[in-house]
Amino acid sequence: MRILVAGADGYLGWPMCMRLSQEGHEVLGVDSLIKRAWEHELGVKPLVPVPALTDRADRWEKTSGRHIAVEVGDVCEDGFLDEVIARFRPEVLVDFAQQPSAPLSMMDEAHGVHTQVNNVVGTLRILYAIRRHAPTCHLVKLGTMGEYGTPNIDIEEGFLEVEHNGRTDRLPFPKQPGSIYHLSKVHDSHNIAFACRVWGLRASDLNQGVVYGIQTGETELAPDLRTSFHYDPVFGTVLNRFCVQALAGHPLTVHGLGGQTRGFLNILDTLQSISTVISHPAAPGEYRVFNQFSEQFRVIDLAERVIAAAARLGYDAQLSHVPNPRVESEDHYYNAKHSGLFRLGVHPRLLSEDILVRMLEAMVPFVSGVAADELGTDVSWTSAPAELATAGEG
Ligand code: USQ
């Protein structure tokens, strides 16, 4: 298939390009490289240095004998994607091209507005360009479990059967997102559902949980193929961050009680799920929602698991209950359905101590370059810490 991957330079986008190329698809990766600009602005960097996207594509070709075409451009820009889609005519478009950080979106007004403009306008441009030039293209869009928030009832996969005044309907599950970033994904979901309902496009909206992991089969083929793995307070997700903290001798920063429960998945399950969804496309006019995660954990339990795994490697890691910088429940009901992808054939990789030990081992060679001040100081949901606010002005 001809597959366009938007956001090809990112933590998930680059491994996805390699996996799809390995599977024999014709892959075009598009990226504006804006994540690198955000990293520069905030003074943060990935754990492992990441070569330029074009250099990575060259390295992939030399290593695998397969070609990934790459183009630098912004999906938000009027006309850019129009031209790319008219020329490439993708059968599938996988969309990662978004500002992915809840903390970045909560830093201040400028970053909040930027997050929603970037994410919502980008998705709209994609929808219009597909409609104009490739109306049968299957849009595979990365949404987030955070669209639902933490309601006191079971979370269904996208839709809820509702009985109201004696009548029933299947309606979008209520959304109560916890950040400006998660809100941007809610807006995207509505726009995509509209484009399917009214224009007849086809889309799969993948409400992904928190991803962890640093290695995929393809990233291990050569050092220059490694992915952009973050551990800082802005782009680092909780389990990835806990692993680096454990190795760097920094207490694991458990927010508040640590009873926050979320859905988690291995980066390998992200790749597997998207490949599976591509081979089972939505029908014309269909808007599908999958809850894309493998298992649920409480943050405190993850911290304890990381500490136990680090101990096997001789590290004496500790945890610290830091005041929660976010506005979120720390002890709540959480039961999210996630059987749709399993029904399509996805086999989840559950988190074991052996997997955690292997993750930690992969990070050990790079941890000496991590400074203690890169591991603490989370962005507050109610007032931005001075140093991050100052960095944001640069
Ligand atoms: N947390 C800690 N300590 C930390 C970092 C986070 O206790 O050092 C807690 C947070 O307070 C939160 C939970 O861990 O309760 C998850 O936080 P996170 O930063 O790992 O994830 P989140 O901000 O929710 O966002 C991440 C990705 C985002 C994706 C989302 C999936 O950055 O792109 O959409 O996970 S989900 O969380 O299911 O919405």
Side-chain angles (χ1 to χ4, degrees):
M1 286 182 164
R2 285 184 309 281
I3 302 182
L4 194 158
V5 177
D9 197 38
Y11 171 53
L12 302 176
W14 174 244
M16 193 75 242
C17 285
M18 290 193 289
R19 174 61 54 88
L20 293 171
S21 173
Q22 188 67 38
E23 288 174 356
H25 298 293
E26 184 182 344
V27 178
L28 170 60
V30 167
D31 203 294
S32 68
L33 309 183
I34 195 170
K35 176 98 178 281
R36 294 175 188 249
W38 291 323
E39 289 167 2
H40 181 71
E41 175 196 335
L42 299 169
V44 301
K45 59 181 190 319
L47 184 66
V48 183
V50 174
L53 182 58
T54 45
D55 293 343
R56 294 206 272 178
D58 286 346
R59 168 56 57 202
W60 172 248
E61 193 152 339
K62 288 192 183 92
T63 306
S64 69
R66 297 179 183 274
H67 179 66
I68 295 175
V70 293
E71 266 179 63
V72 174
D74 187 349
V75 297
C76 295
E77 194 185 300
D78 189 6
F80 168 69
L81 208 61
D82 235 28
E83 192 278 320
V84 172
I85 291 187
R87 175 166 31 93
F88 185 63
R89 302 217 172 250
E91 292 155 279
V92 178
L93 191 155
V94 185
D95 181 21
F96 296 100
Q98 301 216 303
Q99 194 294 92
S101 161
L104 185 81
S105 78
M106 297 299 288
M107 275 176 57
D108 52 27
E109 178 178 342
H111 290 88
V113 170
H114 175 60
T115 298
Q116 290 215 358
V117 170
N118 183 75
N119 293 1
V120 177
V121 171
T123 300
L124 274 173
R125 294 280 187 217
I126 286 171
L127 291 170
Y128 275 104
I130 288 178
R131 180 190 187 202
R132 217 173 272 126
H133 302 293
T136 58
C137 174
H138 177 205
L139 173 62
V140 178
K141 164 68 166 55
L142 275 292
T144 172
M145 285 302 293
E147 293 184 33
Y148 301 116
T150 55
N152 198 33
I153 58 171
D154 293 346
I155 295 172
E156 303 296 325
E157 286 198 82
F159 299 92
L160 184 64
E161 297 287 340
V162 178
E163 189 184 330
H164 182 62
N165 292 345
R167 302 182 67 81
T168 58
D169 205 346
R170 182 172 175 265
L171 297 171
F173 195 92
K175 306 287 176 75
Q176 302 181 85
S179 77
I180 295 285
Y181 153 75
H182 289 99
L183 265 166
S184 74
K185 300 275 196 176
V186 173
H187 304 323
D188 281 342
S189 292
H190 288 305
N191 288 341
I192 298 166
F194 173 89
C196 294
R197 193 171 65 242
V198 177
W199 298 343
L201 302 193
R202 54 170 86 191
S204 301
D205 198 352
L206 307 179
N207 284 334
Q208 187 166 242
V210 186
V211 181
Y212 60 85
I214 188 167
Q215 296 169 312
T216 70
E218 293 79 14
T219 61
E220 296 315 292
L221 293 175
D224 283 354
L225 297 178
R226 294 193 187 108
T227 194
S228 169
F229 176 96
H230 276 272
Y231 54 88
D232 59 81
V234 176
F235 294 114
T237 51
V238 64
L239 182 51
N240 288 347
R241 213 175 158 204
F242 282 172
C243 288
V244 175
Q245 288 172 334
L247 298 175
H250 192 285
L252 278 57
T253 49
V254 173
H255 291 168
L257 298 174
Q260 303 89 319
T261 306
R262 299 286 184 272
F264 287 82
L265 70 163
N266 193 306
I267 189 169
L268 293 167
D269 283 353
T270 295
L271 304 187
Q272 185 197 175
S273 297
I274 293 174
S275 284
T276 303
V277 164
I278 287 172
S279 50
H280 297 82
E286 186 185 12
Y287 170 71
R288 300 189 301 187
V289 179
F290 294 101
N291 291 346
Q292 180 168 302
F293 70 94
S294 301
E295 54 194 325
Q296 298 184 180
F297 290 110
R298 297 190 315 155
V299 164
I300 185 75
D301 296 334
L302 283 179
E304 283 163 2
R305 279 169 171 251
V306 170
I307 288 170
R312 268 178 52 186
L313 296 177
Y315 290 83
D316 179 22
Q318 308 289 329
L319 68 81
S320 152
H321 287 274
V322 300
N324 196 338
R326 305 187 181 194
V327 178
E328 62 183 1
S329 302
E330 294 174 8
D331 183 15
H332 58 90
Y333 179 77
Y334 198 79
N335 183 34
K337 305 282 175 63
H338 57 131
S339 54
L341 289 169
F342 303 159
R343 277 201 299 275
L344 292 187
V346 169
H347 297 288
R349 277 175 195 74
L350 303 184
L351 184 66
S352 64
E353 193 166 290
D354 285 346
I355 287 180
L356 268 176
V357 167
R358 283 202 292 278
M359 264 176 76
L360 291 164
E361 281 172 338
M363 297 172 195
V364 166
F366 307 102
V367 165
S368 59
V370 173
D373 64 358
E374 296 176 279
L375 291 165
T377 322
D378 291 2
V379 175
S380 165
W381 260 220
T382 48
S383 64
E387 58 270 40
L388 285 175
T390 309
E393 284 157 19

